[in-house]
Amino acid sequence: MLAFSNMATFRGLLQTRATIFLIRNYHKQPIEVVWKKPEIGWTKLNFDGSRRQGQASIGGIFRNHKAEFLLGYSESIGEATSTVAEFAALKRGLELVLENGWTDLWLEGDAKIIVDIISKRGRLRCEEAKKHVNYINVVMPGLSKCVLSHVYREGNRAADKLAKLGHQFQDPKVWRLQPPKIVLPIMHEDAQGKIVLRTK
């Protein structure tokens, strides 16, 4: 009788765990992610940071309302955290914004913490990150129109490629006429509105 009771309890436990597993997987259904074009007259910057074995690099890409390439950048920034790299990528992008005289900007990155800190004026302990954020907070209000948003990594693939590419360079790279070939397939898919599934 005791053995039967234990077996019933074991079966009940299995059913409970199976139910929890199903619930968890139900909430992990793939999410459709699409890179979106900016409106006419706007310029969109997708930026990203990358970190490998303590070494960080940054990258970003500017496109217009037709998803046409305007400018891209990539560079190594040495030892830094992932968070600092994300801020540095946005800061470098804003420097190029000022150089090119763009005023209506859509800024988009895949690190939600960066968007939250900038939009909510969150506090930072890292002095290096603070320097980047101070610059960002000065430049953004000075633009005619400026929107900062978060996108999943699947919608930030071009910037991700450029950020990772930065690990290869000793000097900063800026592309003004043609992007590096490595991002051309992604740019084409973005322009076509390809849906990328996020499964994590």
Side-chain angles (χ1 to χ4, degrees):
M1 185 69 175
L2 181 60
F4 179 80
S5 176
N6 287 343
M7 181 61 71
T9 301
F10 178 70
R11 287 176 179 172
L13 182 61
L14 284 178
Q15 290 176 349
T16 301
R17 288 180 176 175
T19 302
I20 293 173
F21 177 79
L22 288 172
I23 291 174
R24 285 178 177 173
N25 279 271
Y26 175 78
H27 289 292
K28 290 183 179 180
Q29 292 298 314
I31 299 172
E32 294 184 349
V33 183
V34 180
W35 180 85
K36 296 181 180 179
K37 302 174 185 177
E39 295 181 0
I40 296 176
W42 284 65
T43 300
K44 184 173 184 180
L45 164 64
N46 281 88
F47 63 92
D48 202 7
S50 175
R51 187 170 183 266
R52 294 176 183 172
Q53 299 178 342
Q55 298 296 308
S57 59
I58 62 174
I61 181 170
F62 291 89
R63 285 172 279 189
N64 63 17
H65 67 281
K66 294 181 180 180
E68 295 171 335
F69 176 80
L70 299 176
L71 185 148
Y73 60 95
S74 181
E75 65 180 273
S76 172
I77 60 171
E79 292 186 11
T81 65
S82 297
T83 301
V84 168
E86 295 285 349
F87 281 126
L90 177 53
K91 178 190 174 185
R92 179 60 179 139
L94 289 174
E95 289 174 347
L96 292 167
V97 164
L98 297 181
E99 288 180 18
N100 287 273
W102 293 316
T103 56
D104 297 348
L105 267 293
W106 180 1
L107 314 172
E108 189 171 70
D110 58 29
K112 192 173 185 300
I113 186 173
I114 304 302
V115 177
D116 289 343
I117 289 174
I118 297 297
S119 60
K120 299 175 183 179
R121 296 298 177 97
R123 294 183 178 180
L124 289 166
R125 294 181 179 179
C126 175
E127 290 300 321
E128 188 175 359
K130 283 181 182 179
K131 292 178 182 178
H132 294 317
V133 172
N134 289 340
Y135 179 89
I136 293 166
N137 285 334
V138 168
V139 174
M140 284 180 60
L143 300 173
S144 177
K145 297 176 183 177
C146 185
V147 174
L148 176 63
S149 65
H150 168 262
V151 68
Y152 288 120
R153 185 171 300 168
E154 290 76 6
N156 203 43
R157 294 180 299 151
D160 177 67
K161 280 287 186 184
L162 291 176
K164 290 177 179 177
L165 194 62
H167 290 287
Q168 303 177 18
F169 303 136
Q170 292 183 346
D171 299 317
K173 296 287 185 180
V174 176
W175 295 270
R176 298 184 183 276
L177 298 177
Q178 294 289 335
K181 292 182 179 180
I182 194 171
V183 299
L184 287 175
I186 298 173
M187 289 180 58
H188 177 72
E189 291 175 351
D190 285 347
Q192 296 298 316
K194 179 181 178 179
I195 296 174
V196 183
L197 295 179
R198 177 180 177 82
T199 57
K200 294 182 180 180

